[in-house]
Structure formats: structure tokens, C-alpha cells
Amino acid sequence: MSGIAPTATRPTPRPGGGGSAPALDSGTRRGDAVFSGAVRGAAILLLILMGAIAAFLVYRAQDALSANTANVLTYTGTWAPDDAPPKFGIGALAWGTLVTSLIAIVIAAPVAVGVALFITQYAPRRLAQVLGYIVDLLAAVPSIIYGLWGILFLVPHMQGASQIISDVLGWLPPFEAGVFGRSVFTAGVILAIMILPIIAAISREVFLQTPRDQVEAAYALGATRWEMIKLAVLPYGRSGVGSAIVLGFGRALGETVAVAMVLSTSSIFVTKLLQPGGNTIAANIALQFGSAFSTGQGALIASGLVLFVVTFLVNWLARRITKHGGEARERRGLGALFRIGGRGDNTPMEAEFDATATAALAGSVSSLSDGRPEVRGAFEAKDSVPDVVADEAAGRNRTHRATRGAGLGGGVLAAPSGLRRFRSSLAGGLTVATFALAVIPLASILWLVVSKGSHALNVDFLTHSLRNIDEKQPGGGVYHAIIGTVEQAGLATLMAVPIGLLVAVYLVEYGRGMLARTVTFFVDVMMGLPSIVAGLFILSLWILGLGQKANGFAGALALMILMLPIVIRSSEEMLKLVPDALREASYALGVPKWRTIMKIVLPTALPGIITGVMLGVARVMGETAPILLVVGYINNINVNPFDGNQGQATLPTVIYNTFTSPEHASNDRTWSAALLLILIIMLLNIVARLIAWWKKPGRA
Amino acid sequence: MKIHAGVNGRSAAVGAGVLALALASLTACGSDNNSSSSSGGSSSTSSAAGGSSSSSASGSSSSSSAAAGGTGGDITCANGTLAGQGSSAQATAVTQFIKDYQTKCGSGTNISYNGNGSGPGVTAFVQKQADWAGSDYPLNADQQKQADQRCGGKPAVSVGTIPGAIAVMYNVPGVDKLNLSASTLGKIFNGKVTKWNDQAIAAENPGVSLPDLTIQAFHRSDASGTSFNFSNYLNKTAPSDFSAAANKQWPGSGGQSAQGSKGVAQAVASSSGAIGYAEVSYATSNNLKTAAIGNKDGKFVPLTIANAANFIAKAQVDTAAGNYKFNFDYTYAADDAYPAVLVTYEIACSTGNDSAKLPVLKNFLQYTAGSGAQSQLEKLGYVALSSDQQAKVGAIFAGLS
């Protein structure tokens, strides 16, 4: 099946092919016309939606910008767009956004790469597999959890850390006199912890992709493990890791609640990293949207647009880097890109591949334990049966299979010198150290959430609301929030999946020319849409513009916008993986295109699509920022998301609305809600992975 | 165009199974009934809630329009759903009142109050997302225009209902008693005084050993009526050291910020050397010490409810256009009058309210102004209206239509 060269477009039934009965023919033509009309319509609908979002945001922003009497780039006074005269500045916010994200990336990038190296190159096979999954799951932990941990645990402890840094580096102006917890530095640290799993997960995938012949070649030349990494793994993974880092940067830029929760804001161009002050665009929207009137909303939208454009440019840059990474890596890079949206998703093929690649690596690693490669061991690893199956299943063309290095005998190799061995073990030690460094905060988050959250998590907690419960009082629960979370995510899924699937079918099966390119571009754009901007859009258009209510459905609409690109991108990937041979076989039997798609292509890709959708659901369930903007928060049960009188609570908004309480009883509930949220999201991820694993090609 | 159960039968079954499981667990009975028969309005419910889950599920209306009397005090019940939003300063009190009201009236009445700040409250009210707003300042001319428009051209009213005091909370190890004049506070909150052992603070606190500790001054990061009233006090009492006019967006320079009254209180409680301001109930609940603050004459007045009540009693009440507004007299300088106070307002449409919501809106607001609710205020960390004021405010709410 891999004999067919990859084609730019899918095969189509040849027109006028003889043999099919006339009656069938006319029927299928009509069916094809209807079907292609439907998918094209979905694609055009998507474009209209994006166009509407863009036009509306620009229109509102322009209004506010023209009313602004201050210099929007340099103004550093109070955010006062609704005063007369209106005054606001976006320059300082954008600067603060960049600074926090840069701090995050400077901390996270090296650590994440170290973690990925440790998992792929150093950890024992079984451990590596487990660690890989843990990293993927951590990438799915919603930001409200990181924010909660940040404000309640990290900030109090950051004072000491800031003191040490300022003692050591205080002679540098940015690190002057820091004794405060709520600085941009703290915000940067939290962002770093948040994006670390994402960068690590993608880098891990990229490193696993290193062609084994190159690895073996390096070993065959007598390289130590570190030298092999330098010779084979790092050069090969450079572009992939680069795009992972840029994507992590993009996520840090758009992060809202975690920053809003920990940063002490002020509108200045922040230069002292350890002192309070500065603000980010997303955090400012979260803090100010509530009190914003017309001009204020426009001003926030204008700042949201700036964020949107910057994030888009960053994502675009990441794609460029990946594209330059070369043919072999492109597919993986794309996979990684859509994984970012899916927050650590694993397609069936990749899951399979991870396992075998790790097995292969582990195999060669174990045979190299004395630092001397053994050709035989490496060979075995390379041509193991599951390996071949995985490659076949993924439709990969491995042309350079086997044989290379076969001529080398063990006698050619010289034992590495002591210095080289020392260097290698030093590097190994360093990756272990970075891994430990990454594990400490992440383990601390999980430990805190589990240990504090298990107090109040009981049956009553799951079956009662917070109605009539005051903060001092134990009891009560989050039943109302579970309902809200499930209903909003469910409605979003109901809206996003049909549209997303149709668009994906269009792109893979029909798309070519301008329309397809435009749709692809806009899906990319939507991918980079910060969630707070999606919330802002629904707030200002749906609720304020059209006079709709701030109920659960408004929340579902915002989540739908966030989910659409995830569904499209993951379904697209899955549909592309369906072998063309299946389509051609179907066409050869005279089955019309639409029936081929409905009966052959979609069912074949379905497990992967379900996986993608579930990961998308898991992601939007943890969203806080857009829900804060568009859904009224209540304490009682409201099962009707279309209610005109009241909103709904969701688990993230319960956490957000209760985390500042001084009372033990309320704190217990906050942590329990956090634990519950993590459990639900983890469960969705695990089930999604199980489906992927269960239906993976080659199994059974 | 249905997909036949073929290749994908099993995975579809899994999907359906998962969905069914989720639904099954959801439709299992959930309950809003958390009340464990607390007598009307007492906040000292120590018994665990959620015990009796036997009663009806959500949505089903049970008892309706019960008459006043019994343990519910002056509560007149009405069924319906009400959404309020606004001032976090009054959140503690309003939450308690809602609890009283819902406890008395049963599951047919759902009132929510989101204490996310006066600014968001007023905005939400104007944008019809809230049925009434809590705010620590009455509507200004610009907002009044927008609010009137929201009420269909009929006037919206700002009715001062829950007075309170702004506590200056601090977290300085070893310091149990602290005097701070308005001018020193102005310097602290403008970043001019940065150490706790600064001469300005030491001079006002003879005999107190002040540590060599950096001051972390916390203000609100969101639009806040507490910020408005506290900056008003500083500006009116010590204009030379705090020149910025009162503003809901904290007008001082320097310092750190946190979101909401709770956020400020939490920040102060968790940061050594911190100082911040919030309605006194937040200082109490966080076990934070409060400073005695200076009045216009430079005398230090400790924070007690009685002292705050004395200052509020001197306020001039403006009842024009159906409002009930308090104008504080910051020149009043008695030894027992605490000058950093606020009155939180309930803002609602005088007429033109949604007829389905009117009964519960009217009755609930009337309850907040009645003696049953007001008598609890001191215990909750607020100042009660005088009985004369209670009657007048109650009459305004009774007249809503």
C-alpha cells in the first residue's frame, strides 16, 4: 500500500468511467453534488465566520482607537477608556506580554529539551514510556490549575527566591531589589511551568523521529551517547524543537487567568523583573472587561487584536521553521502542530510509533551499555517486526531500510577516551537534572491538588450545589458546575464537530485552489486565537451587540470557536492518513465519491477523529477566561443552558470565584473542584488514548 | 446520509457508552438543598450542610409566597430567579441575606450575587446582564444616563443600603497596634514611604518597635468602589500627600495590586510587610490586624463598627430623584468617628422592571433594608442603617415597579 506515491490531492473517480449503470449514475451524481455542496458550504461558512469575527473586532477596535486621546503606544497611565476623555495605552501591555513570555521561554526551553532528551535517550524503556504519557497528560492540565497553584503556593515562596536572585544578580538593573512575590518574574515562572510539558511533549516526538540509521552510524563511528545526540539527534531535531519552542511562546503570550491571578498589575513599561508591576494584554482583558462600557470594550478588543496578530505571527513562524525542516520531518512537524491545538494528542499511528521507536531505542541502548556499539543489537532493533508494521501503517516510505553499516565489524571501533566518556555522563547527568527540575513543580502541583482536594471530594460534593452555602460552612458541592461544564462543552462539541468534520472532508477530499488555501490559512489563524479573544468576541457581538443573554449557550459558542480548529486539524490529519488505495478500490467498484467518503474514508478515520474530538473536549472543558466573560456565575443548579434569567457555573469558574477565600471550608472546596477538573480531563485524555490504542492499525 | 455501523461499530459503541455513562452520572439526583434548617438569618450554622438531600431536585418550585413572620423575620417570599452583580465590599452581607431569603422561601427562589466589583456590577446592570447592581458609589451623571436608558427611559435609583468601614489591614510581624495618619497612608500608597521603620511611621507610633521591612502596599487591580472611597478619604483628608482625586481605578502610584477585596486581603495575609485596604469583614475573616487611622485633625481613630457608625451618621443624605445617597463630611473630626467608610448602594430600575422578576427583586431588596437583615450587619462586619433610614430605604424598594 505504500507503493503509491503521496499525491497532492486524493484520487477521484474518473468521469464517464464505463460499466456503471445509467440509473445508478444519475443518482450518484446528484448525491455527489449534494455532498460536495455541503462540504463546500461548511468551508464557506467557516470563512464567513472568520470574516465576521475579524470585521467585527476591527470595527469595534477602530472606534475605540479613534476616540482615544492618549498615545496608544506610549501611554502608561491608568486604563481609563470610558472616562472623558478616553485614555488607554496598549504599548505597555504588549511589552509586558512579551517580557513575561520571554522569561517563560528562557526558563522552559532548555529544561523542556533536557526533559525530552532524558525521556528519549537516557531513561530506561518502560520508564520512558510512562514518563512520555505523564508529560502528555500534564500538557492537558488547564491553566486555572496552574494559576491556583501559583497564587496559593508559588507566590508566597517566590519572595525568598526573588531575594536570592536579587542578591546574586542585583547589580544588573532588571534584577534590582526584588523581595516581592507578584512580579513579572513570578508570572514568567508560572508560564514556564505551564508551557514546559507542551515543549517537552513535542520535542520528545521530534527526537523519537531521528532516523535510526543516523543514530547507528554515529555509534558505528564510536561515538559516545552524548556525541551521538550531538551528531544525530540534535541536528535532526533542530527545526522541530525550534517550532516547539516558538509554539510554547505563542501559548505563553495568550495565557490569561494564570497571569491575572498572580501578577500585581500596573501600566508601565516594566523593566524591573523582580518588582511588582507590568501587565499583559490577556490579563488586562480579564481584569477590565467587567467594568468596560462601549469604548472600554473597543479598547480591550483593540488590545486583543494586537495579541491575536502577535500570536498568529508566532504560530506562522513556527510553521515556517517546521517547513524548512525538510521533507521527512514535515509530516511530524505538522502532527506536532496540530498536537499543540489538541494539547498533547496522540494519533493512533503515533502512539504505535512511540512504542516501537522507544522499544527500538531501548534495545540499542541496552546493547550499548558499555559504551561500545554492537552492530548486531542495533540491527535487531531496526528491523523488528512492530517497527515495520508501524511504518507500514503510517504509510511511511522507509526507503533506506537496513543494510547500512553492515560492513562494519566490532573491531573497527575504539573505546572512547576517559574525557569523552566523562563528557557523555556529564551530559546525561545534566538531562537527569533538568528532568528533576521540571518534575519538582509539576509533582508539587499534582501533590497539592490531590492532597488538598481529596478532603472534601465525596458523594455530597458531587451531588450538591453551592446554593445557600457560605464560605465558613463545610458541605455543599459542585454538581451545578459539573452540569454547566458538561453542557457547555457538549453543546460546543455538537456545533463544532459537524462543521469541523465537513470542513476537514472538504480540505482533504475536495479542496484545491484558492478556497482550500484560504480555508487552510484561516484554520491556522483560528488555531492561534487566544481564548480570551474568543470570549471577547462572543461578549461584544452575541451578548452586547445582539442582546443575547450571558447563559450557558453563550459559553458554548465561545468554546465552539476554540474547538473548531482543533476538530478540523485533527480530522484533517486523520483523513489524510486513510490510504488512497482504499479510495481507489472503492471507486473501482463504481461507488460514487460521496458514498466512498461516508462509508470507507470516514469510518476508517473515525477512531482517530473521535480521539481528536475528545482531546478537544478535554481542552475546552478547562477553559476559564472566555467563560468568565460570557457566562453569569451562579451558585445554584441550572440545567438549562438556554435560560434567559441566569447563567451557569463551570468547574473552572468555581475555582476562579472561590480561590481567594480565607475560609478553610471554602478552600477545601476549591481544591476539590480543581482535583475533580483534573480527573475529568485526565479521564477524557486516557479514554481518547485508549480508543486510539484500541483501533490502531496493526493491532489485532 | 447516515453512517452504517460497519467498521466503526465498536468505536461508535464505545463513544455511545462513554456518553451514556456521563449522562447517567449526570442525571443522578443532584440537589440545591443545602439548608439544614438554620433559623432565619443566623450565620452561626455549625451543622454540616447537604445532609438532607431527600427533597426535590432543581427547578421544581415548591413553597410559594409564604407570608412574613416566623423565623424568617421580615421576609416576604416570591418565586423567581434574580441575578445581581457588583461590589465585593457588600458581598459578605448580601450573600448572607440571600441565604436567609432562599432558606425561607425554598427552591423556587434563586438569587445569585457575584461580588466581582462595583465597576463590573454597574456595567452588567446597564447591559441588562444583572437585575440589580451592588456598588460602593452611586451612579455618576454619565452612568445615570446609560442606566436610565436601560430602564426604558425611567430613572434608575442608587439606594445606600449597607454601610461599612474600610479597614487598613497590615501584616507586620511583631506589630499589634499601629497608628497611621492620612498623610502617611498617602505616602505609603504612593510609594514615598517604603520601609516600616520609616521616620514618618515611627513618629506616629511611639513605643512600637517597627522592623526594617519593606512595605508592600496592595491596592485593587479591578474597578472598585472600595478604591473609590478609600482614595476619596485620602484625597479629602490629606490632599498634599495624596493629590489624585477619588477614582474607582486606584489612582495612587506604585504599590502592588490584587483582584477583588478577597484578593487584596489574601495578598496582605500572605505577604510579610504588607498593607492593604478592604471592607472590614475581609480583615476579620482573614484575621488581619487593622490600623487606627488619622482624621482631618490628625487624631487616630481605631476601627470599630461604632466609630464607623458615628462618622456615617454625620453624612448628608441626598434623596433627590428617588435616590438615597450619602455624602460624607471628611472635615468631621471627632475622637470616635472613623473616617474611612463607605456606603454600598443597591442600584435598580425604579420602574420598568421585568414583571416576572419584580416580586422577588422588590421583596428581596426590602428584606435587605429591613430590621431582620440590618440587625445582622454589625456581626458581619458592617454598619447598620438607623431605624429611620431603614424605613426610608425600605419604602424606596417597596415602590419599585
Side-chain angles (χ1 to χ4, degrees):
Chain A
M1 78 181 161
S2 53
I4 299 161
T7 46
T9 54
R10 303 294 126 185
T12 43
R14 291 205 174 77
S20 48
L24 175 69
D25 211 47
S26 68
T28 59
R29 286 231 180 97
R30 202 175 306 126
D32 270 345
V34 169
F35 188 79
S36 71
V39 294
R40 198 179 302 269
I44 291 169
L45 184 75
L46 183 85
L47 288 189
I48 292 173
L49 180 69
M50 279 307 295
I53 295 181
F56 182 77
L57 291 183
V58 169
Y59 163 73
R60 289 295 310 269
Q62 217 171 18
D63 256 12
L65 288 174
S66 59
N68 190 10
T69 56
N71 185 323
V72 75
L73 291 178
T74 57
Y75 177 73
T76 55
T78 320
W79 181 267
D82 285 315
D83 286 9
K87 281 185 174 173
F88 63 92
I90 298 176
L93 296 174
W95 171 251
T97 309
L98 282 177
V99 169
T100 47
S101 302
L102 277 174
I103 294 172
I105 215 72
V106 164
I107 299 171
V111 177
V113 172
V115 168
L117 281 178
F118 172 74
I119 293 178
T120 56
Q121 312 293 330
Y122 289 93
R125 173 191 164 181
R126 286 196 176 278
L127 183 66
Q129 235 170 314
V130 172
L131 292 178
Y133 277 119
I134 291 178
V135 167
D136 280 359
L137 288 183
L138 280 169
V141 170
S143 57
I144 183 87
I145 307 282
Y146 287 102
L148 183 67
W149 176 79
I151 191 72
L152 296 184
F153 180 80
L154 184 65
V155 166
H157 290 83
M158 274 311 275
Q159 294 201 30
S162 301
Q163 186 68 62
I164 295 168
I165 292 173
S166 111
D167 285 349
V168 178
L169 293 171
W171 49 277
L172 284 168
F175 297 102
E176 229 170 71
V179 292
F180 304 110
R182 298 169 177 245
S183 54
V184 284
F185 181 69
T186 307
V189 168
I190 294 208
L191 290 176
I193 295 169
M194 288 179 59
I195 61 177
L196 203 157
I198 296 161
I199 302 177
I202 302 177
S203 303
R204 171 178 146 265
E205 291 284 333
V206 170
F207 289 150
L208 282 176
Q209 271 304 103
T210 315
R212 264 153 283 164
D213 46 9
Q214 290 188 20
V215 174
E216 283 149 24
Y219 279 136
L221 292 170
T224 62
R225 195 181 301 171
W226 172 239
E227 284 162 349
M228 180 279 291
I229 291 172
K230 274 203 302 187
L231 281 170
V233 177
L234 288 183
Y236 181 83
R238 197 186 298 135
S239 69
V241 171
S243 77
I245 292 172
V246 176
L247 282 164
F249 186 68
R251 178 162 182 205
L253 287 174
E255 181 45 45
T256 310
V257 284
V259 176
M261 280 158 96
V262 301
L263 185 61
S264 160
T265 57
S266 69
S267 21
I268 51 164
F269 282 88
V270 61
T271 51
K272 305 271 190 278
L273 303 185
L274 299 175
Q275 294 181 11
N279 204 347
T280 70
I281 291 175
N284 186 59
I285 295 174
L287 291 174
Q288 296 297 343
F289 80 92
S291 42
F293 286 99
S294 161
T295 314
Q297 286 154 10
L300 292 176
I301 286 172
S303 72
L305 272 179
V306 172
L307 178 62
F308 185 16
V309 169
V310 172
T311 316
F312 172 69
L313 286 178
V314 165
N315 284 348
W316 178 79
L317 183 70
R319 298 205 124 218
R320 293 284 301 192
I321 294 175
T322 317
K323 279 219 173 100
H324 284 283
E327 182 68 34
R329 271 158 291 170
E330 188 169 354
R331 155 152 244 116
R332 304 295 300 175
L334 286 175
L337 274 170
F338 108 70
R339 180 164 309 106
I340 253 294
R343 296 287 185 263
D345 133 6
N346 242 350
T347 65
M349 285 36 101
E350 283 158 357
E352 166 72 32
F353 185 71
D354 288 353
T356 52
T358 316
L361 267 171
S364 45
V365 163
S366 65
S367 68
L368 295 170
S369 50
D370 62 348
R372 290 186 62 203
E374 255 179 50
V375 176
R376 199 173 53 87
F379 245 106
E380 273 175 3
K382 189 160 65 181
D383 266 347
S384 65
V385 174
D387 180 14
V388 176
V389 171
D391 285 343
E392 292 288 315
R396 281 188 194 96
N397 295 329
R398 279 201 174 258
T399 47
H400 311 300
R401 181 167 296 285
T403 68
R404 205 141 305 170
L408 292 176
V412 183
L413 305 166
S417 70
L419 179 65
R420 282 168 60 206
R421 253 189 248 165
F422 171 72
R423 232 186 253 147
S424 182
S425 33
L426 184 73
L430 269 178
T431 66
V432 175
T434 58
F435 183 76
L437 198 66
V439 158
I440 291 167
L442 295 171
S444 146
I445 292 174
L446 291 182
W447 168 247
L448 264 183
V449 172
V450 171
S451 65
K452 292 195 168 198
S454 48
H455 273 304
L457 190 61
N458 52 30
V459 175
D460 270 0
F461 189 75
L462 297 175
T463 57
H464 283 73
S465 68
L466 280 175
R467 186 178 188 266
N468 275 3
I469 294 285
D470 59 43
E471 293 182 345
K472 295 192 194 83
Q473 214 175 350
V478 291
Y479 177 79
H480 61 309
I482 300 173
I483 295 260
T485 306
V486 170
E487 285 187 348
Q488 286 170 30
L491 277 174
T493 312
L494 282 183
M495 292 184 282
V497 167
I499 303 176
L501 212 51
L502 286 175
V503 173
V505 166
Y506 171 76
L507 286 177
V508 176
E509 307 290 337
Y510 292 88
R512 61 198 63 138
M514 262 309 276
L515 181 61
R517 276 203 298 279
T518 321
V519 170
T520 307
F521 174 79
F522 273 111
V523 172
D524 282 356
V525 173
M526 282 181 90
M527 212 69 180
L529 190 74
S531 63
I532 189 102
V533 177
L536 207 53
F537 169 68
I538 295 296
L539 175 76
S540 46
L541 179 65
W542 179 254
I543 297 182
L544 302 176
L546 300 175
Q548 299 300 312
K549 289 296 177 182
N551 54 18
F553 183 66
L557 282 177
L559 296 183
M560 188 264 290
I561 293 180
L562 296 173
M563 218 174 144
L564 252 182
I566 303 176
V567 172
I568 295 174
R569 186 54 61 68
S570 63
S571 307
E572 201 186 337
E573 289 283 322
M574 288 303 104
L575 291 173
K576 274 185 191 158
L577 288 174
V578 174
D580 284 348
L582 287 183
R583 293 183 180 83
E584 283 170 354
S586 175
Y587 295 149
L589 291 171
V591 179
K593 185 167 183 174
W594 72 275
R595 284 177 74 88
T596 303
I597 293 171
M598 293 304 294
K599 293 216 168 158
I600 307 291
V601 178
L602 279 179
T604 309
L606 197 65
I609 292 173
I610 291 179
T611 303
V613 168
M614 289 183 79
L615 293 169
V617 172
R619 186 202 153 185
V620 297
M621 271 190 169
E623 279 295 345
T624 316
I627 303 297
L628 277 181
L629 266 66
V630 301
V631 188
Y633 178 73
I634 58 170
N635 281 331
N636 53 282
I637 298 170
N638 175 20
V639 290
N640 179 11
F642 300 96
D643 197 319
N645 293 324
Q646 51 181 347
Q648 280 183 326
T650 64
L651 285 171
T653 52
V654 165
I655 299 171
Y656 190 79
N657 276 293
T658 58
F659 79 91
T660 42
S661 170
E663 305 294 343
H664 273 299
S666 179
N667 286 338
D668 281 353
R669 284 192 289 266
T670 308
W671 287 106
S672 294
L675 177 59
L676 189 64
L677 182 62
I678 288 191
L679 285 178
I680 292 176
I681 287 173
M682 294 278 158
L683 192 74
L684 271 172
N685 270 277
I686 289 168
V687 170
R689 264 146 229 272
L690 279 180
I691 291 178
W693 167 81
W694 188 26
K695 299 300 290 186
K696 77 185 171 186
R699 190 185 159 271
Chain B
M1 285 193 250
K2 60 177 192 240
I3 305 174
H4 288 257
V7 195
N8 56 316
R10 278 198 301 175
S11 54
V14 174
V18 169
L19 204 75
L21 229 133
L23 282 176
S25 63
L26 260 182
T27 43
C29 54
S31 176
D32 262 344
N33 185 3
N34 288 310
S35 55
S36 50
S37 67
S38 64
S39 60
S42 120
S43 67
S44 59
T45 25
S46 54
S47 60
S52 57
S53 59
S54 56
S55 98
S56 64
S58 63
S60 71
S61 58
S62 55
S63 68
S64 60
S65 344
T71 50
D74 39 12
I75 291 176
T76 311
C77 282
N79 276 349
T81 304
L82 204 59
Q85 216 186 97
S87 158
S88 62
Q90 62 165 271
T92 314
V94 171
T95 306
Q96 180 60 43
F97 297 162
I98 289 174
K99 190 176 168 185
D100 296 347
Y101 196 87
Q102 290 184 153
T103 305
K104 177 78 194 299
C105 300
S107 61
T109 310
N110 280 315
I111 305 173
S112 61
Y113 181 80
N114 190 353
N116 56 357
S118 300
V122 171
T123 309
F125 175 71
V126 166
Q127 291 166 351
K128 290 197 168 187
Q129 298 302 322
D131 301 313
W132 98 94
S135 170
D136 303 345
Y137 44 85
L139 294 172
N140 64 28
D142 190 37
Q143 293 164 339
Q144 184 75 50
K145 225 181 298 165
Q146 292 173 291
D148 291 352
Q149 208 171 9
R150 179 247 197 255
C151 297
K154 305 292 187 324
V157 288
S158 311
V159 186
T161 312
I162 304 172
I166 300 170
V168 176
M169 320 169 282
Y170 63 94
N171 175 0
V172 187
V175 178
D176 296 325
K177 196 170 170 299
L178 194 63
N179 293 332
L180 293 170
S181 66
S183 80
T184 305
L185 280 170
K187 287 175 192 157
I188 289 174
F189 278 96
N190 271 333
K192 297 280 176 351
V193 169
T194 57
K195 288 279 187 185
W196 278 106
N197 59 358
D198 189 284
Q199 203 47 49
I201 302 176
E204 292 170 356
N205 293 281
V208 177
S209 73
L210 294 157
D212 178 19
L213 189 62
T214 306
I215 297 178
Q216 304 193 45
F218 282 97
H219 57 260
R220 291 279 290 275
S221 60
D222 49 338
S224 147
T226 313
S227 288
F228 178 90
N229 284 289
F230 189 60
S231 57
N232 202 21
Y233 153 73
L234 291 178
N235 178 243
K236 294 278 168 56
T237 317
S240 55
D241 289 305
F242 197 88
S243 54
N247 198 311
K248 58 189 171 145
Q249 296 278 2
W250 179 249
S253 56
Q256 306 184 60
S257 68
Q259 195 181 358
S261 297
K262 278 186 189 174
V264 169
Q266 185 188 58
V268 173
S270 64
S271 320
S272 182
I275 185 169
Y277 61 88
E279 207 286 322
V280 63
S281 60
Y282 292 95
T284 317
S285 58
N286 280 279
N287 294 319
L288 287 167
K289 297 181 197 93
T290 58
I293 62 170
N295 61 19
K296 190 78 179 172
D297 288 356
K299 292 249 176 59
F300 298 108
V301 186
L303 171 55
T304 64
I305 299 298
N307 287 349
N310 289 339
F311 190 83
I312 293 170
K314 284 288 167 186
Q316 199 187 11
V317 175
D318 170 10
T319 56
N323 294 315
Y324 204 83
K325 299 184 193 173
F326 290 76
N327 292 318
F328 298 126
D329 177 10
Y330 286 104
T331 60
Y332 179 61
D335 289 356
D336 59 352
Y338 184 84
V341 293
L342 50 76
V343 169
T344 71
Y345 294 79
E346 310 306 330
I347 297 171
C349 293
S350 58
T351 56
N353 286 292
D354 184 345
S355 61
K357 294 182 171 190
L358 180 64
V360 62
L361 176 70
K362 210 162 115 171
N363 293 350
F364 173 69
L365 289 180
Q366 264 182 280
Y367 169 64
T368 64
S371 62
Q374 294 278 331
S375 61
Q376 299 179 55
L377 280 177
E378 186 168 340
K379 190 177 56 199
L380 294 171
Y382 297 84
V383 178
L385 295 172
S386 70
S387 54
D388 174 48
Q389 290 170 330
Q390 288 175 20
K392 286 180 177 148
V393 169
I396 295 176
F397 290 141
L400 298 182
S401 61

